[in-house]
Amino acid sequence: MRRTSAAVAAAVALTAVYGCTVRTPGTDTGADTDGRPRSPVHIEIPTTRPPGDHSPAGRAGDTAGPDDDPSPAPPAAPGASSATSPRPTPTVAPRTLWSRGDSGPGVRELQARLRQVAWLSDGPTGSYDDLTERAVAGFQGKRGLPRTGRTDTVTWQRLLAMTHEPGRWELYLMGGQPAGAPDPRCLTGRVLCIDKTSRTLRWMVDGRTVSTVAVRFGTEATPTREGVFHVYWKSRHHVSTLYHSPMPYAMFFSGGQAVHYSYDFAARGYAGGSHGCVNVRDETAIARLFAQVRVGDKVVVHW
């Protein structure tokens, strides 16, 4: 009897410390599920630490508090999820490079590249006109870009990826190449000074340039002859007897070769060529030149 009383007293003491419950034989919890007798004392270990307990963390059931580890938490690895949403990266709006009204070599290259992908048929002129604006808008819309008609950095990079760097005569397909220095033979008298390198014709009087126009020459099969010649015949409404093609404002200087207006040059630029004549695409300019040039005036064709 004394031993039983001592066991009960010990159980009560353990209950006070560990939160135990006393199981007595004969109850529905007095045996394990396999039928074996269970200890009359069942000890339940608390799952949380009592207040003031600062035992090392890492054991099952531990909960960390603000004072458990004064060191800051390590930074999250890149790509790891966080309870705090990351700040959105600000987007930079595309920068406009050229728009309607602009001009210069950059616009000329833009037009040459637009021609390569068949979005522009005229030019390049070097001036951002309404045709260029519509071509850019069409190119943008085809590729899901905003149809602004302005060439921004995104549009330009897309166009660069689809085209090649334009050559010299792609950039000056319709003329406009600056004239080079005149040949020394052009510096005296009245001279049609024709430069094959820059593809220009200067009308010069006593060393002074009166006007300059873009010109086109013969092909490799029918080249334009170089040298010093003279205008020997002018024919306002001439038609070629050999090729049966119109040669308005013709000024003949070497056999059947003449300076004249060309409808083909006006339409196709340097994509075509003549049968040896010097073609002019600006009808207004050649009409004015035709009125000023006289039979006997000098013609110099040079590189």
Short mmCIF file of all heavy atoms in Angstrom, two decimals, residues 179-188 191-198 200 202 204 207 209 226-228 298-303:
data_model
loop_
_atom_site.label_atom_id
_atom_site.label_comp_id
_atom_site.label_asym_id
_atom_site.label_seq_id
_atom_site.Cartn_x
_atom_site.Cartn_y
_atom_site.Cartn_z
N ALA A 179 28.45 66.38 -106.00
CA ALA A 179 29.40 66.39 -107.11
C ALA A 179 30.82 66.50 -106.58
O ALA A 179 31.08 67.16 -105.58
CB ALA A 179 29.10 67.55 -108.05
N GLY A 180 31.74 65.81 -107.26
CA GLY A 180 33.14 65.92 -106.90
C GLY A 180 33.75 67.19 -107.47
O GLY A 180 33.07 68.00 -108.12
N ALA A 181 35.03 67.37 -107.22
CA ALA A 181 35.73 68.54 -107.77
C ALA A 181 35.71 68.47 -109.29
O ALA A 181 35.89 67.40 -109.88
CB ALA A 181 37.16 68.57 -107.25
N PRO A 182 35.51 69.57 -109.98
CA PRO A 182 35.46 69.54 -111.45
C PRO A 182 36.82 69.20 -112.06
O PRO A 182 37.87 69.53 -111.50
CB PRO A 182 35.03 70.96 -111.82
CG PRO A 182 35.41 71.80 -110.65
CD PRO A 182 35.28 70.92 -109.45
N ASP A 183 36.77 68.52 -113.16
CA ASP A 183 37.99 68.22 -113.91
C ASP A 183 38.64 69.53 -114.37
O ASP A 183 37.92 70.48 -114.72
CB ASP A 183 37.62 67.35 -115.12
CG ASP A 183 38.83 66.83 -115.86
OD1 ASP A 183 39.42 67.60 -116.65
OD2 ASP A 183 39.19 65.66 -115.64
N PRO A 184 39.96 69.61 -114.37
CA PRO A 184 40.62 70.85 -114.81
C PRO A 184 40.21 71.30 -116.21
O PRO A 184 40.22 72.50 -116.51
CB PRO A 184 42.11 70.49 -114.75
CG PRO A 184 42.21 69.41 -113.73
CD PRO A 184 40.93 68.63 -113.88
N ARG A 185 39.81 70.38 -117.07
CA ARG A 185 39.39 70.72 -118.43
C ARG A 185 38.05 71.43 -118.46
O ARG A 185 37.62 71.94 -119.52
CB ARG A 185 39.36 69.46 -119.30
CG ARG A 185 40.72 68.80 -119.51
CD ARG A 185 40.59 67.42 -120.14
NE ARG A 185 39.96 66.47 -119.22
CZ ARG A 185 39.76 65.18 -119.52
NH1 ARG A 185 40.10 64.70 -120.72
NH2 ARG A 185 39.20 64.37 -118.64
N CYS A 186 37.38 71.45 -117.29
CA CYS A 186 36.06 72.09 -117.22
C CYS A 186 36.13 73.55 -116.75
O CYS A 186 35.08 74.20 -116.65
CB CYS A 186 35.16 71.32 -116.27
SG CYS A 186 34.88 69.59 -116.71
N LEU A 187 37.31 74.01 -116.44
CA LEU A 187 37.43 75.30 -115.76
C LEU A 187 37.46 76.50 -116.70
O LEU A 187 37.51 77.65 -116.24
CB LEU A 187 38.68 75.30 -114.87
CG LEU A 187 38.68 74.24 -113.76
CD1 LEU A 187 39.97 74.29 -112.96
CD2 LEU A 187 37.47 74.41 -112.85
N THR A 188 37.46 76.28 -117.97
CA THR A 188 37.43 77.40 -118.92
C THR A 188 36.31 77.19 -119.93
O THR A 188 36.04 76.06 -120.36
CB THR A 188 38.77 77.52 -119.68
OG1 THR A 188 39.04 76.27 -120.35
CG2 THR A 188 39.91 77.84 -118.73
N VAL A 191 30.92 74.62 -120.47
CA VAL A 191 31.22 73.19 -120.43
C VAL A 191 30.11 72.40 -119.73
O VAL A 191 29.64 72.79 -118.66
CB VAL A 191 32.54 72.92 -119.68
CG1 VAL A 191 32.95 71.45 -119.82
CG2 VAL A 191 33.66 73.84 -120.15
N LEU A 192 29.73 71.29 -120.37
CA LEU A 192 28.96 70.26 -119.68
C LEU A 192 29.99 69.31 -119.07
O LEU A 192 30.59 68.49 -119.78
CB LEU A 192 28.04 69.51 -120.66
CG LEU A 192 26.85 70.30 -121.21
CD1 LEU A 192 26.17 69.50 -122.33
CD2 LEU A 192 25.86 70.62 -120.12
N CYS A 193 30.22 69.43 -117.75
CA CYS A 193 31.26 68.67 -117.05
C CYS A 193 30.61 67.46 -116.39
O CYS A 193 29.89 67.60 -115.38
CB CYS A 193 31.94 69.57 -116.02
SG CYS A 193 33.43 68.85 -115.30
N ILE A 194 30.85 66.27 -116.95
CA ILE A 194 30.13 65.06 -116.54
C ILE A 194 31.08 64.14 -115.78
O ILE A 194 32.07 63.67 -116.34
CB ILE A 194 29.55 64.35 -117.77
CG1 ILE A 194 28.62 65.31 -118.53
CG2 ILE A 194 28.81 63.09 -117.37
CD1 ILE A 194 28.21 64.82 -119.91
N ASP A 195 30.75 63.87 -114.50
CA ASP A 195 31.61 63.10 -113.59
C ASP A 195 31.01 61.70 -113.40
O ASP A 195 29.95 61.54 -112.80
CB ASP A 195 31.70 63.83 -112.25
CG ASP A 195 32.69 63.19 -111.29
OD1 ASP A 195 33.16 62.07 -111.57
OD2 ASP A 195 32.98 63.80 -110.26
N LYS A 196 31.72 60.68 -113.89
CA LYS A 196 31.23 59.31 -113.75
C LYS A 196 31.37 58.79 -112.32
O LYS A 196 30.65 57.86 -111.92
CB LYS A 196 32.00 58.38 -114.70
CG LYS A 196 31.52 58.41 -116.13
CD LYS A 196 32.17 57.29 -116.93
CE LYS A 196 31.50 57.12 -118.28
NZ LYS A 196 32.08 55.97 -119.02
N THR A 197 32.29 59.36 -111.54
CA THR A 197 32.48 58.90 -110.17
C THR A 197 31.31 59.29 -109.27
O THR A 197 30.76 58.46 -108.55
CB THR A 197 33.79 59.45 -109.60
OG1 THR A 197 34.88 59.03 -110.42
CG2 THR A 197 34.01 58.97 -108.17
N SER A 198 30.93 60.54 -109.32
CA SER A 198 29.82 61.02 -108.49
C SER A 198 28.49 60.97 -109.22
O SER A 198 27.45 61.26 -108.64
CB SER A 198 30.08 62.45 -108.02
OG SER A 198 30.14 63.34 -109.13
N THR A 200 27.27 62.86 -111.66
CA THR A 200 26.69 64.20 -111.71
C THR A 200 27.12 64.92 -112.99
O THR A 200 28.15 64.60 -113.59
CB THR A 200 27.12 65.05 -110.50
OG1 THR A 200 28.56 65.11 -110.45
CG2 THR A 200 26.58 64.50 -109.20
N ARG A 202 27.73 68.88 -114.14
CA ARG A 202 27.81 70.31 -113.82
C ARG A 202 27.71 71.11 -115.12
O ARG A 202 28.42 70.81 -116.09
CB ARG A 202 29.15 70.66 -113.17
CG ARG A 202 29.42 70.13 -111.78
CD ARG A 202 30.86 70.51 -111.41
NE ARG A 202 31.29 70.03 -110.13
CZ ARG A 202 31.30 70.77 -109.01
NH1 ARG A 202 30.88 72.03 -109.06
NH2 ARG A 202 31.73 70.26 -107.88
N MET A 204 28.88 74.46 -116.39
CA MET A 204 29.85 75.44 -115.92
C MET A 204 30.12 76.49 -117.00
O MET A 204 30.18 76.17 -118.20
CB MET A 204 31.16 74.75 -115.52
CG MET A 204 31.00 73.70 -114.45
SD MET A 204 32.59 73.00 -113.91
CE MET A 204 33.30 74.41 -113.07
N GLY A 207 34.49 78.49 -115.35
CA GLY A 207 34.92 77.97 -114.05
C GLY A 207 33.88 78.06 -112.96
O GLY A 207 34.11 77.61 -111.82
N THR A 209 30.12 77.06 -111.45
CA THR A 209 29.06 76.07 -111.59
C THR A 209 27.71 76.76 -111.59
O THR A 209 27.33 77.42 -110.61
CB THR A 209 29.11 75.03 -110.46
OG1 THR A 209 30.37 74.35 -110.49
CG2 THR A 209 27.99 74.02 -110.59
N GLU A 226 34.46 58.27 -122.53
CA GLU A 226 35.10 59.38 -121.81
C GLU A 226 35.94 60.21 -122.78
O GLU A 226 36.40 59.71 -123.80
CB GLU A 226 35.99 58.86 -120.68
CG GLU A 226 35.26 58.08 -119.60
CD GLU A 226 35.41 56.59 -119.78
OE1 GLU A 226 36.47 56.12 -120.25
OE2 GLU A 226 34.44 55.87 -119.46
N GLY A 227 36.15 61.45 -122.41
CA GLY A 227 37.00 62.34 -123.21
C GLY A 227 36.40 63.73 -123.31
O GLY A 227 35.47 64.09 -122.58
N VAL A 228 36.97 64.50 -124.23
CA VAL A 228 36.51 65.87 -124.47
C VAL A 228 35.79 65.90 -125.82
O VAL A 228 36.34 65.47 -126.84
CB VAL A 228 37.69 66.86 -124.47
CG1 VAL A 228 37.18 68.28 -124.77
CG2 VAL A 228 38.41 66.83 -123.13
N LYS A 298 31.48 72.82 -125.05
CA LYS A 298 32.34 71.68 -124.73
C LYS A 298 31.62 70.68 -123.82
O LYS A 298 30.81 71.06 -122.96
CB LYS A 298 33.63 72.19 -124.07
CG LYS A 298 34.66 71.12 -123.83
CD LYS A 298 36.06 71.69 -123.56
CE LYS A 298 36.12 72.67 -122.43
NZ LYS A 298 37.51 73.08 -122.13
N VAL A 299 31.96 69.42 -123.99
CA VAL A 299 31.47 68.34 -123.13
C VAL A 299 32.68 67.55 -122.66
O VAL A 299 33.46 67.06 -123.49
CB VAL A 299 30.50 67.41 -123.88
CG1 VAL A 299 30.04 66.26 -122.95
CG2 VAL A 299 29.30 68.17 -124.42
N VAL A 300 32.85 67.41 -121.32
CA VAL A 300 33.94 66.65 -120.75
C VAL A 300 33.33 65.51 -119.94
O VAL A 300 32.58 65.75 -118.98
CB VAL A 300 34.84 67.53 -119.84
CG1 VAL A 300 35.93 66.67 -119.20
CG2 VAL A 300 35.45 68.67 -120.67
N VAL A 301 33.67 64.27 -120.32
CA VAL A 301 33.21 63.09 -119.56
C VAL A 301 34.44 62.47 -118.91
O VAL A 301 35.39 62.09 -119.61
CB VAL A 301 32.53 62.07 -120.50
CG1 VAL A 301 32.01 60.89 -119.68
CG2 VAL A 301 31.39 62.73 -121.27
N HIS A 302 34.44 62.38 -117.60
CA HIS A 302 35.63 61.92 -116.87
C HIS A 302 35.24 61.10 -115.65
O HIS A 302 34.09 61.07 -115.23
CB HIS A 302 36.47 63.15 -116.44
CG HIS A 302 35.79 64.00 -115.40
ND1 HIS A 302 35.98 63.83 -114.06
CD2 HIS A 302 34.88 65.01 -115.52
CE1 HIS A 302 35.26 64.71 -113.39
NE2 HIS A 302 34.58 65.44 -114.25
N TRP A 303 36.24 60.41 -115.07
CA TRP A 303 36.10 59.68 -113.81
C TRP A 303 36.56 60.59 -112.68
O TRP A 303 37.45 61.40 -112.82
CB TRP A 303 36.90 58.39 -113.80
CG TRP A 303 36.26 57.32 -114.63
CD1 TRP A 303 36.59 56.96 -115.90
CD2 TRP A 303 35.18 56.48 -114.24
NE1 TRP A 303 35.78 55.95 -116.35
CE2 TRP A 303 34.91 55.62 -115.33
CE3 TRP A 303 34.43 56.36 -113.09
CZ2 TRP A 303 33.91 54.67 -115.31
CZ3 TRP A 303 33.43 55.40 -113.06
CH2 TRP A 303 33.18 54.59 -114.15
#
